Amino acid sequence: MDGTALTFTKKKNIIIMERSKTSTLQLNLMQWGNNIPKYDLRIWKNDKPGKGVTLDQADLRAFLTLLDNNIQFYDEYTSKIPQNIGTADFPCQLFQKCGFIGSLEQWHIELNVLGWKNNPCKFDLRNWSKDHKSGKGVSFSKEDAEKLAETIKKELAVNTTTVEPKNTQEIEVLVDLLTGK
């Protein structure tokens, strides 16, 4: 990168959950640069984007399925003895692998129940490499997971795609997104 900030446009605020006086967890429909808008689950600090995960519509549906299948077992997961997967400098305890989104060939997105740096465990949606190095992502409470699941169900029921394709290639990509291919 040449040091210039990537431009973004919030096309739609879907849900904003306060985490502190200066920090929120947000699900938005975002356009990064000139790319097609996608769903974006991210921490925002002082109205600036922090770490998070970007999802197309098929990924958002898969994320909802993972939430629906795992929220009810959260308390059971957190009572397990965790597996240490971090380092001495950055400890991480894995309580439960909930599932993954995408291909396991390269980087993919996983939903897990993790405890970072000896903090209480939370749901964690994050990019992971095939050799299990963590990338950017976001952690959130069981209560936030419940709110996200409810909101995503409403969003997908409305099926709001506010993108106007500019060419045939974008139309094909949008068709793939809407059909889950």
Side-chain angles (χ1 to χ4, degrees):
M1 298 213 28
D2 61 6
T4 57
L6 183 61
T7 61
F8 63 88
T9 304
K10 283 186 188 180
K11 297 288 188 178
K12 180 180 179 184
N13 289 101
I14 298 166
I15 187 171
I16 299 173
M17 295 176 278
E18 193 170 317
R19 294 175 68 120
S20 70
K21 290 181 181 180
T22 60
S23 174
T24 58
L25 174 63
Q26 298 184 23
L27 177 63
N28 298 301
L29 185 62
M30 298 279 295
Q31 182 172 6
W32 292 96
N34 293 323
N35 296 311
I36 293 172
K38 293 185 178 183
Y39 293 99
D40 192 79
L41 183 62
R42 184 169 306 277
I43 300 295
W44 288 73
K45 292 182 183 178
N46 298 315
D47 295 321
K48 292 187 171 126
K51 294 179 180 179
V53 176
T54 300
L55 307 162
D56 63 26
Q57 191 173 42
D59 292 343
L60 189 67
R61 286 185 191 284
F63 175 48
L64 175 59
T65 300
L66 290 174
L67 285 175
D68 280 346
N69 291 339
N70 287 281
I71 288 173
Q72 63 189 341
F73 300 111
Y74 179 82
D75 294 331
E76 180 183 325
Y77 295 161
T78 59
S79 66
K80 292 181 176 182
I81 296 173
Q83 174 188 359
N84 289 313
I85 61 170
T87 64
D89 294 333
F90 203 81
C92 178
Q93 298 81 35
L94 173 65
F95 287 82
Q96 180 68 38
K97 282 185 172 236
C98 300
F100 69 93
I101 301 168
S103 168
L104 289 175
E105 292 177 16
Q106 295 298 322
W107 286 85
H108 60 279
I109 299 170
E110 289 184 15
L111 179 66
N112 296 308
V113 177
L114 299 176
W116 290 100
K117 294 184 177 180
N118 299 316
N119 288 314
C121 58
K122 294 182 176 186
F123 280 106
D124 186 83
L125 188 69
R126 180 171 310 278
N127 288 292
W128 292 88
S129 68
K130 65 180 179 179
D131 56 349
H132 224 253
K133 292 182 183 168
S134 67
K136 292 181 180 178
V138 61
S139 296
F140 47 92
S141 68
K142 177 184 176 186
E143 293 76 21
D144 287 344
E146 292 168 340
K147 290 177 191 172
L148 281 167
E150 178 79 21
T151 302
I152 293 168
K153 286 175 188 169
K154 290 176 184 173
E155 173 65 16
L156 293 174
V158 172
N159 198 7
T160 56
T161 304
T162 57
V163 181
E164 293 183 22
K166 298 180 185 114
N167 57 45
T168 306
Q169 183 180 9
E170 284 189 8
I171 291 170
E172 291 171 0
V173 169
L174 284 173
V175 168
D176 287 349
L177 287 173
L178 292 172
T179 59
K181 292 183 180 177

